[in-house]
Amino acid sequence: MMNIRFLLTSLVLVCSSVIAQDSEGFSELFNGRDLTGWEGDPQLWSVKDGLVTGECRGPESPSANTFLIWRGGQVKNFELRATVRVIGDNNSGIQYRSRPLPEAGPWGITGYQCDIHPATEHTGMTYEEKGRGIFGLNGKDIVLDGEGNRWQVAEREPVKVDVSQWNEYTIIAEGNHLTHKINGQITSQLTDCDEAHRALEGLLAIQLHHGNANTVQIKDLRLKVLGEAPLTAFDPSLLPSGAQKVARPGTKNPQGLGPAAPK
């Protein structure tokens, strides 16, 4: 009986802010009126015209990346769909399985992120904010071994979109396998076998990037909680033919496509 009670309590904590499910099993995380269930800097985040809206007004507002954090619980195995646009020469992202980063301020966190970036190679990539950096750029699938080395196991044509227009971003997290999509097309996949550094559950949040002025808007946020999923162990003998160890990708576009605003 105690185990059943513990299971039910855990389920409530994970899904406490989730409302009724639709026919596909998704629940709305945004009520269309206000930021109930979410927490962020009230000077930067609001609801305008029925849209979640984050506004960066320049290098000092905010002075560092900040987040609108979902306070309905922690996400573990899930599928998230979010319709987002970023207006201005900068980027945003959807962060998940994340943890607080107090040294970055009251709304600073670190974790996996699906980037929403005007540079094609970066949008939809697998990335870890304030952590291990970029795993796989748009169009590349990566496996991390137990030491954190990157193995590129697949490559496809990058998905090209205009991030200033409405696009649907999908994140599917099952065990240690993560999939990012834009408008239903896979952009990057990650299998994280780095047990010392990976995360299997944590916070969900939307990024407001400092620097160049920009506005992030979200009009749809839907979450489907998935069941338990197996963890994949790294086995070099199972890597596909042609897999190769690669260096951590860098970027020439830390904010948008043009010059970055000074720190």
Side-chain angles (χ1 to χ4, degrees), residues 59-82:
E60 298 306 319
S61 180
S63 59
N65 294 353
T66 188
F67 292 83
L68 181 68
I69 304 169
W70 185 55
R71 292 306 190 189
Q74 300 209 353
V75 293
K76 186 176 182 181
N77 297 312
F78 67 92
E79 179 173 346
L80 179 83
R81 296 181 185 176

Side-chain angles (χ1 to χ4, degrees), residues 109-177:
I109 59 175
T110 176
Y112 297 120
Q113 184 166 298
C114 174
D115 257 38
I116 303 168
H117 199 298
T120 294
E121 67 269 25
H122 293 309
T123 198
M125 69 181 179
T126 46
Y127 172 66
E128 187 176 70
E129 168 99 0
K130 301 293 185 182
R132 293 171 289 172
I134 299 170
F135 301 120
L137 297 169
N138 183 357
K140 302 182 188 297
D141 295 347
I142 299 293
V143 173
L144 292 187
D145 63 25
E147 285 71 50
N149 298 306
R150 291 157 171 77
W151 294 83
Q152 184 176 307
V153 295
E155 185 172 7
R156 69 185 71 80
E157 186 69 20
V159 178
K160 297 179 175 66
V161 295
D162 179 353
V163 297
S164 70
Q165 302 300 310
W166 292 113
N167 296 287
E168 183 183 67
Y169 298 82
T170 300
I171 299 167
I172 303 172
E174 296 180 286
N176 58 335
H177 186 72

Side-chain angles (χ1 to χ4, degrees), residues 169-220:
Y169 298 82
T170 300
I171 299 167
I172 303 172
E174 296 180 286
N176 58 335
H177 186 72
L178 313 174
T179 301
H180 294 174
K181 300 180 182 180
I182 301 178
N183 300 329
Q185 300 180 75
I186 294 175
T187 53
S188 185
Q189 298 186 92
L190 172 69
T191 302
D192 192 348
C193 303
D194 182 2
E195 295 184 28
H197 299 100
R198 71 187 181 195
L200 299 178
E201 61 183 309
L203 299 171
L204 173 68
I206 308 296
Q207 182 193 63
L208 182 64
H209 205 290
H210 79 105
N212 296 338
N214 71 95
T215 300
V216 180
Q217 293 187 306
I218 306 101
K219 67 177 181 180
D220 181 42

Side-chain angles (χ1 to χ4, degrees), residues 8-19 28-29 35-39 68-78 80 95-100 109 200-206 223 225:
L8 291 174
T9 300
S10 299
L11 185 61
V12 168
L13 287 174
V14 170
C15 307
S16 60
S17 286
V18 174
I19 313 173
E28 292 284 356
L29 300 186
L35 295 178
T36 298
W38 295 81
E39 182 181 282
L68 181 68
I69 304 169
W70 185 55
R71 292 306 190 189
Q74 300 209 353
V75 293
K76 186 176 182 181
N77 297 312
F78 67 92
L80 179 83
Q95 201 165 129
Y96 58 99
R97 290 186 176 179
S98 302
R99 59 180 176 81
I109 59 175
L200 299 178
E201 61 183 309
L203 299 171
L204 173 68
I206 308 296
L223 178 72
V225 177

